[in-house]
């Protein structure tokens, strides 16, 4: 007798960045298991994301924004999936005050399990005003109140979103990826680099460096622009690619123009198939103010690509493949630039070494699906990354 499928509703505020990558990858992981995933979100999603959800037997539902369409319109739009299905769990990727309406609906719909997934700080690490501090403190209390399980992508993310929580209560769901898709042979890497240079009209010789993520203050793209300016001043070879979109794009483009770095720093927009893009890079930068467990660090290690990481990012990011170098967030731009120059010289792990590292802590699709399924069944309540 076939096992009954558990239907889970994922709540996303919008498409783009690490959260949507997590949901998409998890959908790919569970498509042949006893889990169906639906998604509610305020923004449109690309076809590839929609297809990944459809392969689990699920669907995408778009909500109306309450501040634009009104609270009644928002409630009607969010009610639609509940009118069509019964859910075993609400997996909420919104935190604090934003999680409250989704939690209330889950109570009315008698959904047995609701939890907030901690992905990183609720405050961007830049605007530490008293008002924001109070809001975050209240938000952490709300997250603890509404969540029946303490879930996150790393211990650091859980502390940032839930506050002080005993380690024994933490359920860490790794940002699993299809790691076999990222690791390329030397010949394939050469081919990918040529394709990337042609696609983005990169004429300058030298290494290719990528920073991937939403163009927002917490990612600290300004630091990378300063590093690019240092490269320009010292005539070091290298091109920097900003991969993503966001509210800071106009500001960042202005900074690049003012620094006369238009040939040195390129904006690629959103790149859907990072498994073809990242292997073409010589190194990845993550100079963030704070991050729980950035998916791009996982994907870069899957590609065998070195990463220069701010020490404000979770140490659980490191798979001990010799690819991650943590550097003080407050270190001088010159220090970051000189360390970055050395990264392309780091030895590359073998495909077997990468595979072992991903299997070890459930970062493979197979491992992530197994862990998620066991969690939803209630077979396990806690998990930590070793």
């Amino acid at each position: 007798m076939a096992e009954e499928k558990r239907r889970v509703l994922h709540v996303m505020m919008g498409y783009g960045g690490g959260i949507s990558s997590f949901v998409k990858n998890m959908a790919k992981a569970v498509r042949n298991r006893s889990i169906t995933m639906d998604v509610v979100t305020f923004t449109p999603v690309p076809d590839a994301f929609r297809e990944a959800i459809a392969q689990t037997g699920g669907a995408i539902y778009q909500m109306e924004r309450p501040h634009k369409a009104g609270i009644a319109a928002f409630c009607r739009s969010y009610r639609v999936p509940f009118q069509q299905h019964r859910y075993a769990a609400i997996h909420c990727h919104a935190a604090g005050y934003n999680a409250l309406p989704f939690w209330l609906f889950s109570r009315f719909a008698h959904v047995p399990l609701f939890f907030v997934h901690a992905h990183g700080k609720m405050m961007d690490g830049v605007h530490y005003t008293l008002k924001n501090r109070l809001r975050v403190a209240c938000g952490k209390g709300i997250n603890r109140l509404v969540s029946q399980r303490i879930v996150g992508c790393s211990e650091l993310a859980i502390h940032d979103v839930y506050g002080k929580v005993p380690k024994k209560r933490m359920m860490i769901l790794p940002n699993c990826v299809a790691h076999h898709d990222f690791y390329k042979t030397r010949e394939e890497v050469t081919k990918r680099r040529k394709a990337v240079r042609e696609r983005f009209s990169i004429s300058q010789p030298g290494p290719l460096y990528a920073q991937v993520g939403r163009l927002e203050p917490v990612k600290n793209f300004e630091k990378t622009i300063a590093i690019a300016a240092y490269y320009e001043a010292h005539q070091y070879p290298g091109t920097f690619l900003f991969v993503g979109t966001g509210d800071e794009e106009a500001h960042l483009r202005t900074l690049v123009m003012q620094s006369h770095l238009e040939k040195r720093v390129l904006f690629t927009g959103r790149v859907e198939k990072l498994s073809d893009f990242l292997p073409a890079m010589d190194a990845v930068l993550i100079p963030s103010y704070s991050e729980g467990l950035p998916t791009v660090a996982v994907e870069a290690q899957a590609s065998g690509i070195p990463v220069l990481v701010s020490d404000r990012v979770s140490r659980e990011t490191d798979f001990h493949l010799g690819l991650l170098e943590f550097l003080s967030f407050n270190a001088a731009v010159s220090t970051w630039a000189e360390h970055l120059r050395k990264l392309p010289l780091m030895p590359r792990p073998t495909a077997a070494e990468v595979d072992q590292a991903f299997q070890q802590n459930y970062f493979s699709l197979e491992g992530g699906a197994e862990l998620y399924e066991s969690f939803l069944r209630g077979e396990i309540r806690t998990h930590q990354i070793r």
Side-chain angles (χ1 to χ4, degrees):
M1 184 176 176
E3 183 181 359
E4 182 182 354
K5 283 201 145 193
R6 286 170 173 79
R7 198 170 200 108
V8 181
L9 182 64
H10 283 256
V11 177
M12 293 181 2
M13 299 300 281
Y15 181 83
I19 292 174
S20 48
S21 293
F22 171 88
V23 174
K24 181 181 177 181
N25 287 332
M26 188 58 77
K28 289 180 177 179
V30 304
R31 61 188 172 189
N32 295 320
R33 291 182 175 261
S34 59
I35 299 172
T36 298
M37 287 173 51
D38 289 334
V39 174
V40 287
T41 180
F42 288 111
T43 64
V45 301
D47 291 341
F49 184 88
R50 189 178 297 277
E51 177 61 25
I53 298 301
Q55 286 183 1
T56 74
I60 307 290
Y61 298 90
Q62 190 162 335
M63 298 178 288
E64 297 288 348
R65 292 189 181 275
H67 66 277
K68 287 186 176 180
I71 292 176
F74 160 70
C75 291
R76 285 194 299 272
S77 64
Y78 184 53
R79 192 182 298 131
V80 171
F82 293 95
Q83 292 171 334
Q84 297 177 5
H85 308 290
R86 290 183 63 84
Y87 289 100
I90 306 295
H91 190 148
C92 185
H93 301 279
Y97 292 100
N98 290 329
L100 278 175
F102 305 113
W103 171 67
L104 288 171
F105 263 96
S106 75
R107 303 276 288 183
F108 290 132
H110 304 291
V111 178
L113 180 63
F114 181 97
F115 56 90
V116 169
H117 188 129
H119 289 276
K121 280 188 179 293
M122 292 188 293
M123 187 161 59
D124 63 15
V126 182
H127 304 108
Y128 280 109
T129 64
L130 177 60
K131 179 181 177 182
N132 281 342
R133 286 175 183 271
L134 290 172
R135 183 175 181 180
V136 168
C138 291
K140 289 178 179 180
I142 290 170
N143 296 331
R144 291 194 298 270
L145 170 70
V146 303
S147 297
Q148 292 154 280
R149 303 285 184 274
I150 305 297
V151 179
C153 59
S154 70
E155 187 177 336
L156 176 63
I158 286 174
H159 283 310
D160 283 342
V161 172
Y162 283 97
K164 291 184 179 180
V165 175
K167 199 167 183 176
K168 63 183 180 182
R169 291 188 61 200
M170 295 181 183
M171 180 66 208
I172 295 177
L173 291 174
N175 296 347
C176 61
V177 303
H179 63 288
H180 294 299
D181 292 346
F182 284 85
Y183 198 92
K184 310 293 185 187
T185 65
R186 296 288 182 189
E187 293 77 15
E188 288 174 319
V189 168
T190 300
K191 193 182 299 182
R192 298 294 175 197
R193 283 179 179 163
K194 183 181 178 183
V196 167
R197 286 183 176 278
E198 289 176 353
R199 178 179 175 183
F200 299 107
S201 303
I202 302 170
S203 56
Q204 289 196 101
L208 299 176
Y209 303 116
Q211 185 173 351
V212 182
R214 284 183 183 273
L215 305 184
E216 57 188 11
V218 71
K219 302 295 186 182
N220 201 13
F221 280 89
E222 290 188 9
K223 182 100 166 192
T224 304
I225 292 174
I227 294 169
Y230 182 94
Y231 265 56
E232 183 71 17
H234 290 77
Q235 290 300 293
Y236 292 160
T239 302
F240 296 78
L241 292 91
F242 287 177
V243 184
T245 59
D247 295 339
E248 287 284 292
E249 183 169 347
H251 168 66
L252 294 172
R253 284 184 179 274
T254 299
L255 286 181
V256 168
M257 289 178 61
Q258 290 174 345
S259 303
H260 307 290
L261 296 171
E262 293 91 336
K263 291 185 178 180
R264 180 79 70 168
V265 178
L266 305 179
F267 293 79
T268 70
R270 194 177 286 143
V271 174
E272 288 301 329
K273 203 168 182 183
L274 280 175
S275 57
D276 284 343
F277 177 85
L278 277 182
M281 298 298 107
D282 291 279
V284 169
L285 285 113
I286 307 178
S288 305
Y289 282 87
S290 177
E291 291 211 39
L293 201 153
T295 302
V296 67
V298 178
E299 293 167 333
Q301 289 175 94
S303 306
I305 303 301
V307 190
L308 190 58
V309 192
S310 158
D311 63 357
R312 294 188 181 181
V313 174
S314 170
R315 294 276 171 172
E316 293 153 286
T317 305
D318 191 356
F319 293 178
H320 307 293
L321 287 165
L323 292 172
L324 258 69
E325 181 170 347
F326 286 90
L327 201 57
S328 170
F329 173 83
N330 294 314
V333 168
S334 59
T335 303
W336 276 78
E338 295 299 339
H339 276 75
L340 183 62
R341 287 187 71 206
K342 299 173 186 175
L343 285 194
L345 303 176
M346 295 175 71
R348 191 182 188 217
T350 65
E353 288 170 335
V354 170
D355 183 59
Q356 182 180 4
F358 273 75
Q359 300 291 353
Q360 191 172 0
N361 273 305
Y362 298 95
F363 277 92
S364 67
L365 288 188
E366 301 83 3
E370 178 186 339
L371 189 68
Y372 193 44
E373 192 172 42
S374 297
F375 168 65
L376 291 174
R377 283 178 183 159
E379 296 170 355
I380 58 171
R381 292 191 172 209
T382 64
H383 172 74
Q384 284 83 44
I385 298 173
R386 294 191 296 274

